[in-house]
Amino acid sequence: RPWAKILSLSISFFVCLYAEAPVQISIIPSRSVKLHPLCLRRCFRFGRAIFWLFPIAVAASTTTVHSPSSSLVVSAFVPSPRSSFHRLQQQRQTSPTVLKKMSDPAPQVSKKIDGKSIAADIRAEIKARVTTITEKGDPIPGLAVVLVGERRDSQTYVNMKKKACAEAGIISKGFDFDATVSQTELLECVQKLNDDDSIHGILIQLPLPKHIDQDKVIAAVDPAKDVDGLHPYNVANLALYTGEATQAPFSIPCTPLGCLVLLDRSGVELKGTSCVVIGRSQLVGLPMARLLIGRDATVTICHSKTKEIESVCRQADVVVAAVGRAEMVKADWIKPGAVVIDVGINSVDIEPTKPGGKTYKLVGDVDFKGAHEVASKITPVPGGVGPMTIAMLLNNTLQACELKTKRLQEKS
């Protein structure tokens, strides 16, 4: 009906006028009329009548007003003479939005996955569970942390873990050795901790000095107390387990489990998605892939020998970067709208901003500055996966305590 076209076109002219956008009016079958906002403003100044006459003149054959050069699409909803209401409803469902950006869209800014906040929630939940255990008179969870050598990063991690345990009500005990400790002495310590009923979790802070067989020490830990999930028994359990990972009756490596929980609590649906894990370590890459498969995702593992790794990553709905190379994953590796989990933590040199200032900064395996404009969700570094690793360590320790108490109660 002509009145509908006139009304919608008039509104369109007003919108384009104030948006400073050139206007092109397409006239069926092939002709078009182009107007500039300046022209429209002059028409408006000459008189409102002139301004309204132009839409009336083209209303009979015009369906859409658009500005291809920079900004807007304005669709005129023209009801059918036979069924005005039905046609209007149909076009509202199928036509473009009344105002829609066409070219030069604003870059998508991803939503940061706040690992600190999510980890804080989990630690509060763990603290509540520990309080309940204490009130019932059940054994309080105990964690033993074995540290060999004087590496500053290892000492920092151990102190953070002890502090987190204290805040959650978990008892933590430290066993520190010089870097020259013998393997025999270290294995004797592990055996004593295995036999200690007050200890429910044993953490061997890695890496160990080169003269110690790391695999042998890990294998010496009681699988039920292996809160790092690295004992061969627990590795096999994960490979064979088909249930819900967060409810597994054994410990899963803390970092990949933390990544999975981050995805869950960020509302990321993994079923049917394509996931790429960059890195194939026993600590992160391989268990991460297994956890994603357990959520019905299709998983590809990339590593240093993967050909055209950029194109492989561009096919992924979820990218987990755990390769240990600073800002290796660039923005053009990421599919628009993908979710990015950055496990890496790397130190890079920077110029100090003031005398005596920091000469380094921490970055991940992903170029955050570029990737956050492409991804829909991304973890920052620091403040992403790191806090979740500690939260999952507390969770594994508490779970080991609960499982042991349950076994003892079943026997009695």
Side-chain angles (χ1 to χ4, degrees), residues 68-72 100-109 336 373-374:
S69 62
S70 67
S71 60
L72 303 170
K100 179 181 178 182
K101 288 286 183 181
M102 283 295 292
S103 60
D104 299 329
Q108 173 179 309
V109 178
E373 295 184 353
V374 182

Side-chain angles (χ1 to χ4, degrees), residues 123 158-168 172:
R123 286 163 65 167
V158 167
N159 290 335
M160 292 170 62
K161 292 167 184 176
K162 289 181 178 178
K163 181 181 178 181
C165 284
E167 292 175 353
S172 65

Side-chain angles (χ1 to χ4, degrees), residues 395-408:
N395 179 78
N396 285 354
T397 303
L398 173 57
Q399 177 180 269
C401 177
E402 292 174 334
L403 288 172
K404 182 177 180 180
T405 301
K406 183 179 179 180
R407 288 195 298 269
L408 291 174

Side-chain angles (χ1 to χ4, degrees), residues 177-197:
F177 296 90
D178 293 334
T180 56
V181 66
S182 68
Q183 180 167 299
T184 301
E185 186 178 355
L186 191 58
L187 290 173
E188 289 176 353
C189 174
V190 170
Q191 187 57 49
K192 288 180 180 178
L193 295 175
N194 286 340
D195 298 334
D196 188 342
D197 290 335

Side-chain angles (χ1 to χ4, degrees), residues 314-385:
R314 275 193 291 269
Q315 305 302 314
D317 302 307
V318 177
V319 175
V320 180
V323 70
R325 291 179 58 184
E327 299 181 329
M328 170 183 166
V329 180
K330 305 300 181 183
D332 60 0
W333 292 30
I334 307 299
K335 181 171 75 172
V339 177
V340 179
I341 303 295
D342 191 351
V343 179
I345 181 165
N346 310 281
S347 175
V348 297
D349 296 333
I350 59 172
E351 291 293 331
T353 57
K354 59 182 179 180
K358 291 180 64 174
T359 59
Y360 72 95
K361 68 175 181 177
L362 297 178
V363 299
D365 292 345
V366 179
D367 177 14
F368 182 85
K369 184 177 180 180
H372 91 288
E373 295 184 353
V374 182
S376 62
K377 296 181 181 180
I378 186 171
T379 57
V381 175
V385 174

Side-chain angles (χ1 to χ4, degrees), residues 202-344:
I202 301 174
L203 170 67
I204 309 296
Q205 184 64 42
L206 305 177
L208 295 176
K210 293 182 179 179
H211 69 278
I212 295 178
D213 187 340
Q214 186 169 287
D215 292 339
K216 190 171 184 179
V217 173
I218 292 174
V221 177
D222 182 348
K225 296 186 178 185
D226 169 38
V227 289
D228 250 349
L230 299 178
H231 191 283
Y233 182 86
N234 289 327
V235 172
N237 271 336
L238 179 58
L240 299 173
Y241 187 63
T242 58
E244 170 54 44
T246 56
Q247 299 174 8
F250 56 89
S251 290
I252 294 174
C254 301
T255 298
L257 181 59
C259 293
L260 186 70
V261 175
L262 272 180
L263 291 168
D264 286 345
R265 299 210 176 195
S266 299
V268 178
E269 174 58 51
L270 293 170
K271 185 176 182 180
T273 60
S274 173
C275 301
V276 165
V277 178
I278 308 175
R280 52 181 172 178
S281 70
Q282 292 285 351
L283 189 62
V284 181
L286 294 181
M288 186 76 248
R290 183 64 189 87
L291 292 175
L292 293 171
I293 291 172
R295 291 296 180 84
D296 297 321
T298 301
V299 181
T300 301
I301 299 177
C302 294
H303 46 77
S304 58
K305 302 298 188 292
T306 301
K307 296 181 179 179
E308 298 182 358
I309 187 171
E310 300 93 335
S311 61
V312 175
C313 289
R314 275 193 291 269
Q315 305 302 314
D317 302 307
V318 177
V319 175
V320 180
V323 70
R325 291 179 58 184
E327 299 181 329
M328 170 183 166
V329 180
K330 305 300 181 183
D332 60 0
W333 292 30
I334 307 299
K335 181 171 75 172
V339 177
V340 179
I341 303 295
D342 191 351
V343 179

